Amino acid sequence: MIKRDNIFLGTDWYSSNSLPVKWEITDGLVPYPLAVERMEVLVELIHQGKEPERVWLLEHPPLYTAGTSATDKDLKDPGRFPVYATGRGGQYTYHGPGQRVAYVMLDLNRRKRDVRAFVAALEQWLINTVGQFNITGERREDRVGIWVPRPDKGTDVEDKIAALGIRLRKWVTFHGISLNVEPDLEHFSGIVACGVEKHGQTSLVDMGLPVSMYDADIALQRTFEEIFGPVEVV
């Protein structure tokens, strides 16, 4: 099996369509059902060629989402926050204020019909993003997300700083990634995040970096363009 580290992530991810990807940032907290409803509409329009590809950056109120592999035992506190079933891959994930969510709606018909390579490209995007703040993020073959070694906490201890989960419809992607900028990390205790009990969660601020959401957005945009091509801020 070819490891994700070995999947080519160069300019083959640039679209043959000359239109830049729309880069949209929504202020405030967006209810999860409204976000999913809007993504569903945009994905169909992108497939029909009636809308450009889009990356939508936002924050959600505190909530848990259950991916297609979620199991009941991993929901440790079911009454704490709303729980939403979602068609994306993965298990339970937390979203909330201070976490940047980026919903990525790209047409792989124009780019590259390779789901595994697309996931690797998203991982590389996140690795490059935290690298902008001198953090070494790493992928793991046996679990999803981007991980940061924490020798300050003990031998072999590492924390997750970013997560991802995607869905495809007619080879158009949706859902996407989340980066912990400054969320309340205690909120993760209500679930076994992504089914991983051994390791914890961290954020850019938890790592001692005075990073604002604006700083994170600039880094996300810069590193996205390196892999997927130019964007148009709307």
Side-chain angles (χ1 to χ4, degrees):
M1 181 176 70
I2 300 174
K3 292 186 177 182
R4 296 195 304 277
D5 285 350
N6 298 327
I7 295 175
F8 179 62
L9 299 174
T11 55
D12 57 336
W13 279 109
Y14 280 48
S15 175
S16 58
N17 189 316
S18 60
L19 291 176
V21 176
K22 282 192 175 182
W23 187 268
E24 178 181 353
I25 301 174
T26 296
D27 295 327
L29 302 180
V30 179
Y32 186 78
L34 292 181
V36 172
E37 182 180 355
R38 184 169 185 239
M39 273 194 292
E40 297 268 357
V41 172
L42 285 170
V43 163
E44 182 58 31
L45 292 174
I46 290 168
H47 173 69
Q48 295 175 10
K50 296 179 180 178
E51 273 285 333
E53 298 173 301
R54 185 180 302 254
V55 175
W56 182 20
L57 282 71
L58 51 80
E59 293 174 82
H60 286 304
L63 59 93
Y64 299 128
T65 64
T68 54
S69 301
T71 58
D72 291 343
K73 66 180 178 62
D74 287 341
L75 182 60
K76 298 162 66 175
D77 190 355
R80 186 174 191 181
F81 298 129
V83 180
Y84 296 98
T86 177
R88 62 153 176 82
Q91 301 179 31
Y92 280 104
T93 298
Y94 166 76
H95 293 312
Q99 181 191 73
R100 176 53 87 207
V101 173
Y103 289 131
V104 182
M105 290 162 273
L106 301 182
D107 188 352
L108 300 192
N109 292 294
R110 310 179 208 171
R111 293 174 180 270
K112 185 177 182 179
R113 285 192 176 195
D114 189 326
V115 176
R116 190 171 58 134
F118 177 66
V119 169
L122 292 179
E123 290 173 330
Q124 193 63 49
W125 175 27
L126 288 166
I127 288 170
N128 293 353
T129 297
V130 299
Q132 297 283 301
F133 303 103
N134 296 316
I135 292 177
T136 301
E138 301 175 356
R139 53 167 65 89
R140 294 288 179 260
E141 289 299 321
D142 60 339
R143 58 186 187 271
V144 298
I146 301 303
W147 300 85
V148 179
R150 300 300 301 270
D152 55 309
K153 292 186 175 182
T155 305
D156 297 328
V157 176
E158 53 189 30
D159 289 336
K160 180 186 282 190
I161 197 166
L164 63 152
I166 65 164
R167 187 175 178 185
L168 276 76
R169 180 171 298 152
K170 301 175 183 176
W171 287 100
V172 179
T173 70
F174 58 124
H175 296 280
I177 62 98
S178 61
L179 173 65
N180 294 337
V181 180
E182 193 180 7
D184 186 337
L185 296 177
E186 200 278 329
H187 287 178
F188 284 92
S189 66
I191 57 172
V192 178
C194 299
V196 179
E197 292 191 87
K198 180 181 177 182
H199 303 289
Q201 303 285 332
T202 190
S203 68
L204 294 171
V205 172
D206 181 57
M207 297 287 292
L209 298 166
V211 177
S212 68
M213 194 65 74
Y214 175 80
D215 298 327
D217 290 347
I218 293 298
L220 282 163
Q221 180 183 337
R222 181 183 299 123
T223 53
F224 179 90
E225 291 185 307
E226 292 171 353
I227 295 174
F228 295 103
V231 304
E232 176 189 1
V233 179
V234 296

